[in-house]
Structure formats: structure tokens, C-alpha cells
Amino acid sequence: MEKHVVVIYPHPDDESFGAAGTITKFREEGVPVTYLCGTLGEMGRNMGSPTFANRETLPEIRKEELINACEALDIELQMLGYRDKTLEFEDRQMVANHLKGLLEDINPSLVITHYPEHAVHPDHNALGAAAIEAVRLMDEDKRPVVWVQAITNNYDEELGKPDVRNDVTAYFDQKMKAIVAHKSQADGILGKFRENSEITADIEEAAKQRLGTEQFYIWNY
């Protein structure tokens, strides 16, 4: 059994769409989970229709949504304070050292992050790479296991089958609660399920087919 899990993603909602089911499973087992969130997603393009936000107000909206989602998941939140859409330009070693210090304080047994170059968004790739480097810099006998999440369309063709495949349908209601907490982002994405659910008219079933499995590779150092 894990003793403490740390999730490292760059944006509010990455934790909910990507790993909320896995997080819920750990919490139900009594395992503490800490989310190190890189940015506030303040450069997100989704301002709503009709518009509900602008560049000045979006950061506070997304911060509040992030706090609400973490409360729904019953996890600790630490905001790292980086700027959205700039993580690829940050000094990789400095970010890694920042994360290393936090990880050494928390002393987790497992870290979950994005798979560099297989995570679509430059921020995902950059923070995933920094998280992996942070763990590499730790004393070998204190390193946590690292699970990395690939989300490119053809990742299984290039990387093979993931090492960890979590069926999270048993925790799907909790996952949806966390996703919906990110209202500014979730409305548009859930709308796509409504438009594209050819298999079933039921949006929950359509979402469950897309979001009911969470998969990770184990990073080998």
C-alpha cells in the first residue's frame, strides 16, 4: 500500500480529467494525496458562451475551481505559481530543484505526472520532464515510484501498452464531481460528449467510455 501519493500536473483540471478516479481509490484506502499544481491555467481560451470571464478575472475563477475540485477529491493542494503556457521556457533544472525540495518534504511513495513528449501540451511535457528529473535527483533509496500519463493519440503504438490500467468506473461519480468543479473548462468538454455520443444518447455513459479508464507507464531510471 502506498504511504503518500503526489500528483504533479500543470493546470487546474488536469488532475480531475486525468487521475481523479485513481486519486479517489487511494483516498478510499486512506492514502494521503497531494496535488502540486503548476499554474492557474490563466491563459485558457475558454471564456464561456456567453462570456463569463476575461484575462483579468479568469485566474481567480480557475483558482477557486481548483480549490473546489481538490476539496471534492479530499486532497491537499499546493500551487506552484508558474505562469500558464510558459513552463516550456522555464529553466528545467530550476523547476526540477523546486519540485525535488517539495518531494523531499512530503516523502511520497508514488508520484503521478505526464509522460514528456506524449502529453500533447507543451506545459504538460515540460512539467512532466521536470518532475521526472526531480525524482532522479533524489537519493536513490528515497525515490518514489513514478507513474507517467501519456495522452497523445498514438501513444500505445509508440510506447506499448501502459503498465498500469485502472478501471475507475466504480469511482466515476466522484470523478465527475471533480470535473464539474472546473466549470469554466468542463462545460465545453462535456458539451462535446453531447455532440459526439453516437453510441448512446446518455452523456454519462459516453463520458464513462472516454474517462472510465486511467492508464500510466512506470518510469524506469
Side-chain angles (χ1 to χ4, degrees), residues 7 9-12 35-40 66 77-81 127:
V7 178
Y9 288 137
H11 307 121
Y35 182 27
L36 304 182
C37 185
T39 80
L40 290 178
L66 173 62
L77 169 65
Q78 293 190 40
M79 290 174 270
L80 302 184
L127 195 58

Side-chain angles (χ1 to χ4, degrees), residues 44-56:
R45 291 176 295 178
N46 194 343
M47 302 293 182
S49 180
T51 302
F52 63 85
N54 57 41
R55 281 279 175 258
E56 284 70 38

Side-chain angles (χ1 to χ4, degrees), residues 88-216:
E88 63 181 310
F89 306 113
E90 294 282 349
D91 184 297
R92 179 73 48 82
Q93 207 62 38
M94 287 183 67
V95 178
N97 286 332
H98 181 194
L99 293 174
K100 174 177 177 282
L102 295 170
L103 292 174
E104 287 175 338
D105 286 342
I106 298 167
N107 190 28
S109 51
L110 174 66
V111 167
I112 298 174
T113 191
H114 282 123
Y115 199 124
E117 308 314 319
H118 289 277
V120 178
H121 192 297
D123 279 354
H124 295 176
N125 291 329
L127 195 58
I132 290 166
E133 174 64 7
V135 173
R136 188 191 69 79
L137 292 170
M138 296 172 71
D139 291 344
E140 195 167 345
D141 60 344
K142 295 181 180 178
R143 282 180 192 164
V145 173
V146 179
W147 290 359
V148 287
Q149 186 171 47
I151 54 178
T152 47
N153 289 332
N154 61 341
Y155 66 82
D156 53 348
E157 296 171 16
E158 295 190 14
L159 303 173
K161 295 298 181 186
D163 302 298
V164 179
R165 187 179 188 277
N166 291 336
D167 179 349
V168 298
T169 50
Y171 310 105
F172 196 74
D173 288 348
Q174 196 67 19
K175 178 165 182 166
M176 288 304 296
K177 194 177 294 184
I179 288 172
V180 170
H182 295 284
K183 181 174 170 54
S184 67
Q185 307 306 300
D187 282 356
I189 293 169
L190 295 179
K192 291 178 182 176
F193 287 127
R194 293 188 186 95
E195 295 167 10
N196 299 330
S197 59
E198 298 173 3
I199 299 171
T200 172
D202 187 336
I203 180 177
E204 184 174 328
E205 287 304 312
K208 196 173 288 189
Q209 289 187 29
R210 287 283 301 277
L211 301 170
T213 302
E214 296 170 358
Q215 302 185 113
F216 310 92

